[in-house]
Amino acid sequence: MEKKTKPKAKTKSTTPTFGVPDFLRPIWSCTRRGRMWASSRKGAPQLIGMLLGVIIAHHLRPARSCRSEILGAVPDRSRNGIPASDGLDKLPLPAAVNLGNEDFEPNVILDGQQKIPPDVQKAQKPVRPRYYDSELGMHETLFVAVASGATTLPTLGVAFNLTTAHYLPRLSFFINAVQPDVWARFQNLTMNIVRSSETGDKIHPMLILRFLVENHMETFDWFFIAPDSTYIRGKELLEFVKKISVGKVIYLGVPSAKTETGYCDFSAGILISQAMLMGIAENLPWCMENARLKDFTESIGKCIVHIFGLRCGQFAEASPFVAFPVTDSKPLDSQDSTAELVDAEDNLQSAVAIYPLSEPKHFYRLHLELSQRKIGEIQQLIEEVQEDIVKQSPHTPGGGADLQWPIGINPPAIPKDRFDVIEWTYFNETHLFRPDDFRVAVRLVGSFLKSVEQVMAFAKTSIEERQAKLEVKISGEIRLLNGYVRFDPTRGIEYILDLAFEVAGSTKEEVRTLRLLRSLGQMEQIFLPFVTENSRVHLTVTIGAEDIPVALDFLKVFTKVHLEAQDNVFFMVVLIYGPNDPGKESPNDVFLKIKAEAKDIDKRYSKTLGTRLGWVSIRNPLTVPPSEFAIMDIVARKFSKDSIVFRCDVNFIPSVELLNRIRLTTIPGTQAYFPMPFVQYKPSIIYQAHPYPADFDVKRQFGHYDRDSVYFAAFFVSDYTAARRNEAENWPLVTADRDLLREYPRPNRHGQVYDLYTLFLSSPLHVFRGVEPALKVKFALLRCDRDDDPGMELRLRERCERRRLASLANKQQLAMFIAHQEHAKEMSLSTRNATV
């Protein structure tokens, strides 16, 4: 047994303290250690450095009174105009705060524990601008205001717009309200027309300045005002103002020759800066009172001289403002004489403005001649740059091996794997073959047809020029044998053409292969109206007596997805009564369950969300179902013009993401949205056993994107009514149930307009189509023979049959299903034979 030993107690230090009291022993110990550290080799230099630092800091530190130490730094009174000899008690000092004898404990506010007052919350969340350029104070460059009239706008105004608008950030025409329909007549030409409330042929000059002050003074750096008889070289004018520093008071133009007052001649155009417009804004009433209606030159000039005392200037930072006056319009009567005038006048080629022009053809001739010369200069510059690239290519790291055609254009994209390979598509003069995995041949239409025609014309011209240099005469027409096209996102559209032609004096046909490239140009911003995800979407679903069970299930899902989430949505149910169905007055109403469910849902959510569900009843007196126009005519009357309508059916699965996409894609006055839904295949084919799942993923084994489906549509009510009004003569409007009788027999439109999709295609709106993963539709067997209407077009029936076959399953699943059915039939037959 081991013997336990008592642990030794720790002994304290026996350093003598020489009678030092207990409360001073820690201090004595620290000082003693300090003396020992200071006497060491490492401690002495450190101690000396610390002392020097304290001494230097004490001498460099500004002297402060005790009062300033407590109350804060006293401001420099001499800078604020207060004599330095004034007493400190004359300055406003903050009041003393009595903290009491207890220690101050801060009150920490945690989220959810204490409510912040509404005024404090509002102060902590400042309202920020909608766009970042507004917050940063970014300005656009140039605003061009054109004074026009109801008589000159259809002629000179249109020519001005066609030759200048595509170069400028903003161009607006100002007229008086003489003809109310003038805006509607020329809006399709993308002309921004501003009408005043006054009458008369000429607009008041100060009304233009007042409009600029009220609407665009904080948006643009420069403002150019001119009549519609002046040809403006938009690109040159934009480059001219970019050379001038912003923020200065500038008044530029051509001094008027009629008077010696120093006013700028309005006929040549007047350029003013934002700083000048801000000065005009402060004195606008005086300018309005002293303006002359018939003289823009004097009205604007007198206003500027009164405010700034400036005369018209022709130079801004050594940059001259060049304007060429056309004293006689005879040189512009033909294209050849216009070319001679441009050759004879050096100032004309460098001019920013050419004035005055009396006919629209003068605009077009000048624009054509000057544009051709500009293109020639650019082509010559491109050739010089290409020559420099060829000369410098041997000195590059690749030794010129990476030099590819065309010189100066990005090389073709290099695929990372086999899925990134860009395929060539074969075409001829009428059709495009195998454009995708779903179509074999597609007729060339629209912009692609125009592109092919332009490429063919350029290729034929190139062959004729090359053969002419070789002194070879081509007999007959140059025809296309083979064509290949592909789009390379790094460089543009590439073409390979095999062209055949016959040579005079030879029976053999020659073939030339050309490779052409339509390179990508400069990116351009397209301005669209503002859209937001806060807009209310109005869903409309048409329900017949056979759709009641599916509609009841849809209401439950709609309530759970949208109403419980408090989504900004309204659901309109369109109930279609047949000619013999009992109506709402009857106790046997066919839609009694639908109405009862809708009332119950509305009662539950109307107190918190307001009315979010309603219905409209339509009594159809015909055996033929009402057209899409008839239903939408009645439904559109229930909504305001600025409402978004999403037409759908009861088989789609509600989704918040889908409605957000509709809010952002449907643009008033610009675009309607027709999404391509992902349609489920027939469950009995794609699934092995019951019960079938209520939802499904967007995968190829569960469904497909229905390219032929154009039923789902999102648009604004105002856009529909405008498009429908244009077709009212051919297809009468429906405002009540009795108007459905006028729809039969339905007019034969010969492929122009029959449904909403073709209606919007014939309107000025852009129709946007694209696959929509959030739009999932459950399987429902299409009934293509339901609309037994002799006026229905054959192409609509063919489209319906095509959709019906494609909605069953994909090829692999159909093959497996057929094989399974045949195997089951064989097994059943063998079992029967064995039994017999």
Side-chain angles (χ1 to χ4, degrees):
M1 187 173 182
E2 295 181 358
K3 184 179 179 179
K4 294 183 179 180
T5 59
K6 188 176 181 179
K8 294 182 180 180
K10 294 182 180 179
T11 59
K12 296 183 179 180
S13 177
T14 58
T15 305
T17 57
F18 302 100
V20 178
D22 293 339
F23 67 92
L24 291 179
R25 285 180 182 178
I27 301 177
W28 171 260
S29 177
C30 291
T31 55
R32 184 177 181 278
R33 291 178 182 177
R35 289 195 302 271
M36 293 174 63
W37 170 75
S39 62
S40 64
R41 293 182 179 180
K42 297 181 180 179
Q46 296 180 7
L47 179 61
I48 295 172
M50 291 175 61
L51 293 175
L52 289 175
V54 172
I55 294 172
I56 294 173
H58 177 73
H59 285 284
L60 294 180
R61 185 180 181 184
R64 295 183 183 178
S65 64
C66 295
R67 193 169 186 179
S68 64
E69 290 283 354
I70 298 174
L71 299 176
V74 179
D76 189 357
R77 291 162 287 169
S78 60
R79 294 183 180 178
N80 300 328
I82 303 175
S85 61
D86 287 350
L88 184 63
D89 54 345
K90 295 183 179 180
L91 292 175
L93 299 176
V97 179
N98 185 13
L99 300 179
N101 297 325
E102 299 180 358
D103 293 338
F104 174 73
E105 292 291 338
N107 185 16
V108 181
I109 300 177
L110 301 178
D111 294 339
Q113 292 186 1
Q114 185 171 348
K115 293 184 178 180
I116 302 176
D119 55 345
V120 178
Q121 283 186 349
K122 189 174 182 181
Q124 291 179 351
K125 298 180 180 179
V127 179
R128 300 185 65 182
R130 177 174 292 171
Y131 303 104
Y132 70 88
D133 55 352
S134 301
E135 184 172 357
L136 298 177
M138 299 172 62
H139 292 172
E140 295 189 48
T141 308
L142 179 65
F143 186 102
V144 176
V146 181
S148 185
T151 57
T152 59
L153 183 66
T155 55
L156 299 180
V158 172
F160 192 109
N161 181 71
L162 292 177
T163 56
T164 310
H166 49 287
Y167 295 110
L168 302 174
R170 186 69 64 88
L171 174 64
S172 296
F173 294 84
F174 293 81
I175 63 172
N176 285 337
V178 178
Q179 298 179 359
D181 61 334
V182 71
W183 179 86
R185 287 167 54 195
F186 298 104
Q187 190 67 13
N188 291 336
L189 296 175
T190 65
M191 297 179 65
N192 186 15
I193 302 173
V194 180
R195 294 186 299 171
S196 70
S197 58
E198 297 186 358
T199 58
D201 188 37
K202 282 191 174 183
I203 188 170
H204 197 286
M206 289 298 110
L207 292 180
I208 299 178
L209 291 179
R210 187 175 70 180
F211 177 84
L212 297 178
V213 167
E214 294 176 352
N215 297 277
H216 301 290
M217 185 174 63
E218 301 294 337
T219 311
F220 291 86
D221 291 327
W222 300 97
F223 301 89
F224 189 80
I225 309 172
D228 55 8
S229 60
T230 304
Y231 171 69
I232 302 298
R233 303 182 68 185
K235 188 174 182 180
E236 282 70 15
L237 178 60
L238 197 59
E239 292 177 353
F240 174 77
V241 298
K242 288 181 179 179
K243 298 178 183 178
I244 312 173
S245 301
V246 298
K248 297 182 179 180
V249 177
I250 293 179
Y251 175 44
L252 284 182
V254 177
S256 176
K258 297 180 181 179
T259 61
E260 298 180 355
T261 54
Y263 300 156
C264 286
D265 191 356
F266 179 70
S267 300
I270 301 174
L271 180 67
I272 61 177
S273 63
Q274 184 200 29
M276 175 167 284
L277 189 64
M278 295 176 69
I280 294 175
E282 299 176 357
N283 299 270
L284 194 59
W286 186 94
C287 297
M288 294 286 293
E289 294 177 359
N290 294 272
R292 293 183 59 185
L293 176 60
K294 297 183 179 180
D295 195 343
F296 274 74
T297 301
E298 184 176 351
S299 299
I300 299 177
K302 184 185 296 185
C303 176
I304 293 175
V305 169
H306 170 75
I307 301 171
F308 301 98
L310 289 178
R311 291 177 173 268
C312 181
Q314 285 187 282
F315 291 87
E317 299 179 2
S319 298
F321 180 86
V322 182
F324 183 81
V326 180
T327 57
D328 189 3
S329 61
K330 289 183 179 180
L332 301 177
D333 289 343
S334 65
Q335 195 64 41
D336 294 336
S337 61
T338 303
E340 294 176 359
L341 177 64
V342 175
D343 291 332
E345 300 291 343
D346 295 336
N347 292 336
L348 195 146
Q349 297 190 37
S350 60
V352 174
I354 302 173
Y355 68 100
L357 303 182
S358 57
E359 298 182 22
K361 58 184 179 181
H362 297 165
F363 282 83
Y364 303 133
R365 287 169 183 163
L366 274 173
H367 187 68
L368 175 61
E369 185 63 30
L370 295 174
S371 298
Q372 287 178 344
R373 293 173 183 266
K374 193 69 176 178
I375 291 173
E377 295 177 2
I378 295 174
Q379 289 178 346
Q380 183 179 359
L381 180 61
I382 291 174
E383 293 176 359
E384 294 176 359
V385 173
Q386 288 178 342
E387 292 178 0
D388 292 339
I389 293 175
V390 174
K391 291 179 181 179
Q392 298 296 331
S393 60
H395 306 287
T396 59
D402 55 347
L403 192 65
Q404 298 187 15
W405 178 91
I407 300 173
I409 303 296
N410 293 331
I414 300 176
K416 297 180 180 179
D417 49 37
R418 61 188 181 92
F419 299 103
D420 292 337
V421 176
I422 303 175
E423 299 180 353
W424 291 89
T425 304
Y426 181 81
F427 72 93
N428 57 19
E429 294 182 353
T430 58
H431 286 79
L432 188 69
F433 297 92
R434 296 289 297 179
D436 48 48
D437 296 336
F438 305 97
R439 295 176 293 178
V440 178
V442 178
R443 181 174 291 277
L444 298 180
V445 294
S447 59
F448 192 82
L449 176 61
K450 293 181 180 179
S451 176
V452 171
E453 291 175 349
Q454 292 176 1
V455 169
M456 285 292 300
F458 180 81
K460 292 178 180 180
T461 304
S462 301
I463 289 180
E464 291 174 354
E465 292 177 354
R466 293 181 182 182
Q467 297 298 321
K469 291 180 180 179
L470 299 175
E471 298 181 355
V472 177
K473 186 177 181 181
I474 300 176
S475 62
E477 184 181 358
I478 302 175
R479 59 189 182 90
L480 176 66
L481 290 180
N482 304 296
Y484 304 90
V485 61
R486 73 172 184 179
F487 173 70
D488 192 332
T490 61
R491 56 191 313 188
I493 304 178
E494 297 182 70
Y495 297 88
I496 297 179
L497 306 178
D498 294 333
L499 301 176
F501 57 91
E502 295 181 358
V503 179
S506 176
T507 58
K508 186 178 180 181
E509 189 178 53
E510 294 191 12
V511 179
R512 294 287 185 272
T513 300
L514 279 71
R515 186 165 182 171
L516 301 97
L517 172 67
R518 187 188 293 270
S519 60
L520 295 175
Q522 186 178 3
M523 290 187 296
E524 181 181 357
Q525 290 184 348
I526 300 176
F527 295 95
L528 296 176
F530 176 75
V531 291
T532 177
E533 293 185 358
N534 298 326
S535 304
R536 174 173 292 187
V537 180
H538 300 76
L539 278 72
T540 61
V541 173
T542 303
I543 298 176
E546 66 279 5
D547 302 324
I548 294 177
V550 184
L552 291 172
D553 295 337
F554 179 82
L555 283 175
K556 296 178 182 178
V557 180
F558 172 81
T559 304
K560 182 178 180 181
V561 173
H562 293 295
L563 297 186
E564 290 183 2
Q566 297 185 359
D567 193 10
N568 194 7
V569 64
F570 184 87
F571 185 45
M572 173 67 77
V573 185
V574 184
L575 307 175
I576 306 296
Y577 287 90
N580 301 321
D581 292 339
K584 59 184 179 180
E585 298 85 3
S586 173
N588 299 323
D589 188 355
V590 293
F591 296 109
L592 189 61
K593 294 182 179 179
I594 296 290
K595 295 179 180 179
E597 183 70 18
K599 288 180 180 179
D600 180 62
I601 294 173
D602 185 66
K603 184 178 180 181
R604 279 185 287 162
Y605 294 97
S606 60
K607 294 182 179 180
T608 57
L609 303 178
T611 303
R612 295 296 177 92
L613 198 145
W615 67 81
V616 58
S617 303
I618 299 177
R619 170 71 69 175
N620 183 21
L622 303 173
T623 57
V624 179
S627 66
E628 296 181 5
F629 293 163
I631 296 174
M632 194 51 60
D633 285 347
I634 296 175
V635 172
R637 296 170 61 88
K638 306 297 181 181
F639 303 133
S640 60
K641 292 184 178 181
D642 57 347
S643 301
I644 303 177
V645 175
F646 176 49
R647 187 188 66 172
C648 51
D649 61 20
V650 292
N651 293 308
F652 97 98
I653 301 175
S655 169
V656 177
E657 181 183 356
L658 171 64
L659 298 191
N660 288 336
R661 195 113 61 205
I662 289 172
R663 294 182 180 103
L664 298 178
T665 311
T666 310
I667 306 173
T670 303
Q671 181 171 277
Y673 184 36
F674 283 78
M676 298 180 189
F678 186 82
V679 182
Q680 183 188 26
Y681 287 139
K682 191 173 182 180
S684 60
I685 298 178
I686 63 175
Y687 296 113
Q688 299 296 330
H690 289 277
Y692 302 137
D695 197 0
F696 52 90
D697 296 332
V698 182
K699 296 181 179 179
R700 62 182 302 272
Q701 64 265 29
F702 299 124
H704 73 294
Y705 286 107
D706 194 349
R707 300 166 61 96
D708 293 319
S709 175
V710 292
Y711 185 81
F712 293 91
F715 48 86
F716 275 82
V717 174
S718 57
D719 296 334
Y720 171 78
T721 54
R724 188 70 176 88
R725 197 180 302 115
N726 296 332
E727 292 293 330
E729 296 181 0
N730 302 319
W731 201 292
L733 293 172
V734 176
T735 58
D737 298 350
R738 59 180 179 274
D739 296 335
L740 295 174
L741 294 172
R742 296 187 300 174
E743 277 206 322
Y744 198 84
R746 294 174 180 170
N748 189 0
R749 299 291 292 133
H750 302 291
Q752 296 181 17
V753 172
Y754 193 88
D755 52 7
L756 287 183
Y757 178 63
T758 47
L759 172 69
F760 281 104
L761 282 180
S762 61
S763 68
L765 262 69
H766 176 257
V767 177
F768 178 72
R769 295 204 69 204
V771 294
E772 182 53 73
L775 179 54
K776 297 188 292 186
V777 181
K778 296 181 180 179
F779 173 79
L781 189 63
L782 297 176
R783 297 176 55 185
C784 301
D785 56 344
R786 182 171 60 180
D787 298 337
D788 190 11
D789 182 7
M792 186 177 182
E793 299 175 10
L794 180 61
R795 65 180 183 88
L796 297 181
R797 293 185 183 275
E798 292 177 351
R799 185 175 68 185
C800 182
E801 293 290 347
R802 195 164 57 245
R803 292 182 56 205
R804 179 173 179 171
L805 295 177
S807 64
L808 296 177
N810 58 39
K811 294 180 180 180
Q812 180 182 3
Q813 291 171 334
L814 288 175
M816 294 293 293
F817 179 76
I818 294 173
H820 178 73
Q821 292 293 327
E822 291 180 353
H823 178 70
K825 188 183 296 184
E826 292 177 358
M827 293 295 295
S828 176
L829 183 61
S830 62
T831 304
R832 187 183 304 172
N833 294 335
T835 304
V836 173

